[in-house]
């Protein structure tokens, strides 16, 4: 048992990883330039854009980040930005877009491109096989349909659905209850805005149980805060209005993305004891222990909770603030997010330090890792509880118990590319019990070799074009002829294709992002469905 923590640190733009986990993560921060330029040539010659999720393998991120310096149509982002980035690439002349992520991401990209009028731009996944996601699949279960059916029978209901779901889920949901898509970066504002514009609303969040529970915890915390702090988050609310809405905030309790167990109780205890002086960060999807730690740190000005982008921005701001001060400083950040974020964060910190020219500001990036969430070339049987940190300027590596954190071998595990350690367990299909999205076997289908394979087939002969059909996202052309309750309002998905209906909640989110208010159409739909629900 026990827990281990690994960290990578940047100082003056340099990087000194200590420990196998961080060495594996850092190995591709400075990729082979021949490999980078070969990818740039393949993309630019055929006008291919690439949108990739933050939770990619570090090798893939390293090459893509460097390639983006030579070919502008490459974006590494969270789910929210991927489709918007693809639209910009289409406007910039790209004839195809490769999506590095799971299937619902490529489906969203295809649908949003179509809505924007770019039906001629091709979208390709990185495998002819299914690239699944346990969380997305949970939203297609009978349990989730029952959850939505209950929402459809409740007055003034609004379903807030996580973007990490399929178009099919979004379409079926919108046919049953007014639905708006959210991301981890806007779920708080979306929820609070619903209650601001429809005070009597009942908000049903799903399917991510961790995010729902964390959001409920955040709302309970806000209910105890001074009004000025509540209004700093949303000007239409007070502590009293938050307390009033608490009984009408619901979340699905059977939709955990089980890979996020990487941040368990043992890991959090070590973070609490060994990194009390560090900034703590937590993604909305992590289990409650890590989220609670970050919430406590946020309360004293030493933490942030939110999306991958929120975490990246927080770290960049704190580093910039330190660089603006005249004295030297050492900053520590504990990452309560996916291991796939390490590459983007370290690169951002490196760029800030290099631009400043300062050599007296050090940054330590700490990534807590449960030992059962690591696969080594020599499979572990046991390890002592340790907290291994890696820092800059030759700082030593140490464990909380003074040991070397050694791992006893019982047999070899063959790992790719010669690495000695990988985040994620050695065995299991689909999402594992203690890993992360970056180590999910489905995410790992998004390799550089796969990207080169797809690029090689683009604009090829008839045989290549036929092969590419299997790489295209599902189109969902069937229609929801019987979806939606009788008497449903203007927002009903009846008569539209699943792809069109699935876009409705995404477009509601885009309207909200632009105007900071729900559209009149969405508000009217909430109230119209309510009237129908009351009549039934």
């Amino acid at each position: 048992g026990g827990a281990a923590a690994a960290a990578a640190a940047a100082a003056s733009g340099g990087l000194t990883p200590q420990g196998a986990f961080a060495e594996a993560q850092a190995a591709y921060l400075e990729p082979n330039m021949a490999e980078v330029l070969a990818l740039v040539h393949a993309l630019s010659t055929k006008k291919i854009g690439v949108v990739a999720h933050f939770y990619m393998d570090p090798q893939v991120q390293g090459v893509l980040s460097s390639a983006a310096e030579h070919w502008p149509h490459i974006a590494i982002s969270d789910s929210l930005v991927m489709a918007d980035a693809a639209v910009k690439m289409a406007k910039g002349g790209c004839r195809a877009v490769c999506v590095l992520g799971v299937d619902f991401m490529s489906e969203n990209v295809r649908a949003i491109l179509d809505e924007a009028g770019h039906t001629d731009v091709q979208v390709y996944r990185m495998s002819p096989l299914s690239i699944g996601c346990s969380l997305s699949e949970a939203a297609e279960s009978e349990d989730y349909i029952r959850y939505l059916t209950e929402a459809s029978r409740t007055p003034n209901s609004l379903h807030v659905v996580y973007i990490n779901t399929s178009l099919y889920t979004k379409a079926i949901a919108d046919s049953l209850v007014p639905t708006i898509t959210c991301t981890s970066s806007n779920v708080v504002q979306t929820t609070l805005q619903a209650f601001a514009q429809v005070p009597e609303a009942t908000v049903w969040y799903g399917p991510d149980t961790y995010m729902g529970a964390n959001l409920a915890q955040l709302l309970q915390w806000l209910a105890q805060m001074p009004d000025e702090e509540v209004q700093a988050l949303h000007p239409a609310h007070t502590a009293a209005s938050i307390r009033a809405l608490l009984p009408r905030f619901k979340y699905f309790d059977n939709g955990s993305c089980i890979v996020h167990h990487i941040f368990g109780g043992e890991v959090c205890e070590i973070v609490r004891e060994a990194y009390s002086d560090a900034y703590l960060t937590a993604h909305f999807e992590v289990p409650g222990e890590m989220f609670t730690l970050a919430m406590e740190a946020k309360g004293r000005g030493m933490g942030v909770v939110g999306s991958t982008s929120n975490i990246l921005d927080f770290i960049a701001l704190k580093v910039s603030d330190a660089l603006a001060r005249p004295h030297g400083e050492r900053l520590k950040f504990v990452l309560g997010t996916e291991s796939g974020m390490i590459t983007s964060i370290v690169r951002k910190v490196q760029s800030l330090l290099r631009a400043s020219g300062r050599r007296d500001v050090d940054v330590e990036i700490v990534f807590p890792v449960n030992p059962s969430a690591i696969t080594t070339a020599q499979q572990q049987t046991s390890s002592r509880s340790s907290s291994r940190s890696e820092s800059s300027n030759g700082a030593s590596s140490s464990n909380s118990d003074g040991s070397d954190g050694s791992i006893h071998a019982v047999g070899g595990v063959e790992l790719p590319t010669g690495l000695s350690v990988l985040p994620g367990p050695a065995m299991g299909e689909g999402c594992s019990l203690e890993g992360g999205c970056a180590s999910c076997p489905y995410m790992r289908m998004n390799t550089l070799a796969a990207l080169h394979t797809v690029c090689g087939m683009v604009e090829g002969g008839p045989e290549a074009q036929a092969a590419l059909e299997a790489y295209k996202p599902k189109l969902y052309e069937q229609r929801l002829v019987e979806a939606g309750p009788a008497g449903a309002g203007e927002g009903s998905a009846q008569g539209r294709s699943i792809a069109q209906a699935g876009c409705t909640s995404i477009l509601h989110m885009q309207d909200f992002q632009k105007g900071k208010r729900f559209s009149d159409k969405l508000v009217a739909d909430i109230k119209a469905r309510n009237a129908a629900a009351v009549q039934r």
Side-chain angles (χ1 to χ4, degrees), residues 11-33:
S12 306
L15 183 70
T16 309
Q18 298 174 359
F21 183 87
E23 288 169 2
Q25 291 290 319
Y28 298 108
L29 286 169
E30 300 294 337
N32 182 288
M33 282 308 298

Side-chain angles (χ1 to χ4, degrees), residues 219-227 230 237-249:
L219 292 173
Q220 291 163 1
W221 178 75
L222 284 174
Q224 307 303 317
M225 300 303 293
D227 286 347
V230 177
H237 283 285
T238 63
S241 71
I242 299 295
R243 286 193 294 271
L245 66 82
L246 285 176
R248 289 176 285 112
F249 173 74

Side-chain angles (χ1 to χ4, degrees), residues 41 68 87 91 113-114 178 192 194 510:
H41 177 75
V87 171
K91 291 179 178 177
L113 280 171
D114 290 346
L192 293 177
Q510 290 181 337

Side-chain angles (χ1 to χ4, degrees), residues 99-234:
V99 179
L100 277 67
V102 292
D103 282 344
F104 68 78
M105 297 175 184
S106 58
E107 291 171 9
N108 288 345
V109 168
R110 175 71 277 164
I112 294 301
L113 280 171
D114 290 346
E115 287 288 329
H118 299 291
T119 55
D120 57 325
V121 175
Q122 299 301 313
V123 175
Y124 299 112
R125 306 174 306 116
M126 292 299 99
S127 173
L129 305 176
S130 172
I131 308 177
C133 170
S134 66
L135 178 61
S136 177
E137 290 161 6
E140 297 179 13
S141 67
E142 291 183 5
D143 280 352
Y144 203 70
I145 296 300
R146 282 193 290 269
Y147 176 72
L148 294 176
T149 301
E150 183 183 357
S152 72
R153 295 169 179 164
T154 303
N156 296 300
S157 282
L158 173 69
H159 175 223
V160 178
V161 64
Y162 193 25
I163 195 170
N164 290 8
T165 49
S166 68
L167 283 176
Y168 177 83
T169 291
K170 294 181 178 76
I172 296 300
D174 191 64
S175 75
L176 290 171
V177 62
T179 298
I180 184 171
T181 297
C182 76
T183 70
S184 52
S185 62
N186 66 20
V187 62
V188 176
Q189 291 297 321
T190 301
T191 301
L192 293 177
Q193 188 62 32
F195 289 112
Q197 286 189 248
V198 187
E200 65 276 22
T202 297
V203 170
W204 305 74
Y205 170 80
D208 192 318
T209 298
Y210 282 148
M211 189 180 294
N214 290 339
L215 183 53
Q217 180 180 335
L218 176 63
L219 292 173
Q220 291 163 1
W221 178 75
L222 284 174
Q224 307 303 317
M225 300 303 293
D227 286 347
E228 55 268 24
E229 293 194 31
V230 177
Q231 289 170 344
L233 186 60
H234 196 291

